[in-house]
């Protein structure tokens, strides 16, 4: 995966009512409500590893950032974090990374309308790419996306800015017009990762971020219908 970004217009200050030429979406907390399943798998992984169980409300902050990073912030050494990731990944593989997840209300219709308007769509998630593809396919959303992009399998390349860079590179290779590209997410990692490439961000209120994490976004929305208005006008 590369962090080199194709040239895009300086559209960070663009109006949310602009005609977008491309829209990138986060996955967890934006397209899918995945926290119940993720938190449950983290809880069981910590139990298997003999570690103290964190309060489940605290574990919600793990949803969105790279899981390897979250284990390290919890107190694991780098090598222990890799072992913990393997345990977590084993649980996920046994049940499917979509286990305990659901698609947010109105999202399929939103994607269908944007696709019908001729605007290319992509997923750019810090979840491992093979899992992103599995989740998107499981919920029958792959028909809407030109590109599905995620972290490397070992999550060593998983920073949101790097994943977005790779998504932009692939879109550019396909000849997609990136002059007015929008990113849609729910966490501060989305805002920081997108703005690193000059992309404006819309934050969805139904995700896992706090109000403070929306700082720097051009808008925040409370429903798929409201998001559609911002994207299609």
């Amino acid at each position: 995966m590369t962090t080199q970004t194709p040239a895009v217009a300086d559209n960070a200050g663009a109006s949310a009512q602009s005609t977008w030429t491309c829209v990138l979406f986060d996955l967890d907390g934006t397209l899918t409500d995945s926290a119940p399943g993720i938190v449950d798998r983290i809880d069981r992984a910590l139990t298997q590893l003999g570690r103290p169980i964190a309060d489940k409300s605290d574990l919600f902050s793990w949803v969105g950032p790279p899981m390897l990073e979250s284990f390290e912030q919890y107190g694991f050494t780098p090598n222990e974090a890799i072992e913990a990731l393997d345990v977590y990944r084993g649980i996920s593989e046994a049940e499917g990374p979509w286990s305990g997840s659901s698609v947010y209300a109105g999202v399929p219709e939103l994607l269908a309308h944007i696709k019908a308007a001729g605007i290319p769509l992509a997923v750019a998630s810090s979840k491992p790419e093979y899992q992103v593809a599995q989740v998107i396919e499981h919920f029958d959303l792959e028909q809407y996306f030109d590109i599905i992009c995620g972290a490397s399998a070992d999550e060593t390349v998983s920073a949101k800015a790097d994943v977005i860079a790779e998504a932009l590179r692939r879109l550019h290779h396909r000849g997609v017009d990136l002059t007015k590209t929008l990113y849609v997410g729910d966490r501060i990692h989305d805002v920081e990762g997108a703005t690193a490439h000059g992309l404006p961000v819309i934050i969805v209120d139904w995700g896992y971020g706090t109000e403070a994490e929306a700082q720097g976004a051009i808008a925040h929305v409370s429903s798929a219908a409201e998001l559609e208005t911002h994207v299609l006008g």
Side-chain angles (χ1 to χ4, degrees), residues 9-228:
D10 182 9
N11 55 12
S15 166
Q17 296 296 331
S18 298
T19 301
W20 304 107
T21 60
C22 183
V23 182
L24 279 63
F25 283 88
D26 174 44
L27 178 64
D28 297 322
T30 301
L31 298 176
T32 60
D33 182 8
S34 54
I38 291 174
V39 167
D40 179 65
R41 290 191 287 276
I42 297 169
D43 187 70
R44 284 185 284 155
L46 292 173
T47 297
Q48 287 187 33
L49 292 162
R51 294 293 184 120
I53 305 304
D55 188 286
K56 287 198 173 184
S57 61
D58 294 333
L59 292 179
F60 274 84
S61 67
W62 294 38
V63 182
M67 191 60 65
L68 190 65
E69 174 186 310
S70 293
F71 278 120
E72 290 181 353
Q73 291 180 349
Y74 181 72
F76 286 83
T77 67
N79 286 338
E80 290 172 340
I82 292 172
E83 178 188 358
L85 180 64
D86 287 342
V87 172
Y88 171 84
R89 190 75 55 75
I91 297 171
S92 182
E93 292 300 313
E95 301 175 352
W98 57 82
S99 176
S101 300
S102 60
V103 178
Y104 285 110
V107 163
E109 295 81 3
L110 165 70
L111 298 175
H113 294 163
I114 299 174
K115 183 76 171 179
I119 301 174
L121 297 172
V123 178
S125 167
S126 289
K127 186 188 291 292
E129 186 167 312
Y130 75 95
Q131 290 190 344
V132 178
Q134 289 175 336
V135 171
I136 292 296
E137 181 179 2
H138 176 79
F139 289 115
D140 196 28
L141 300 177
E142 74 276 9
Q143 60 190 298
Y144 304 118
F145 294 102
D146 296 80
I147 292 292
I148 294 173
C149 193
S152 60
D154 60 4
E155 294 194 20
T156 56
V157 180
S158 56
K160 186 54 67 77
D162 291 341
V163 175
I164 291 174
E166 177 63 12
L168 293 172
R169 186 195 67 79
R170 295 182 195 178
L171 290 162
H172 177 71
H173 182 72
R174 287 196 172 200
V176 172
D177 180 1
L178 300 174
T179 54
K180 285 189 176 180
T181 301
L182 173 70
Y183 191 87
V184 180
D186 71 309
R187 301 293 310 274
I188 185 64
H189 307 80
D190 300 317
V191 177
E192 293 175 344
T195 55
H197 299 290
L199 304 183
V201 182
I202 291 180
I203 289 292
V204 300
D205 289 344
W206 57 78
Y208 311 127
T210 64
E211 184 175 349
E213 291 184 68
Q215 297 300 313
I218 61 171
H220 56 90
V221 297
S222 58
S223 68
E226 186 179 358
L227 178 56
E228 182 175 332

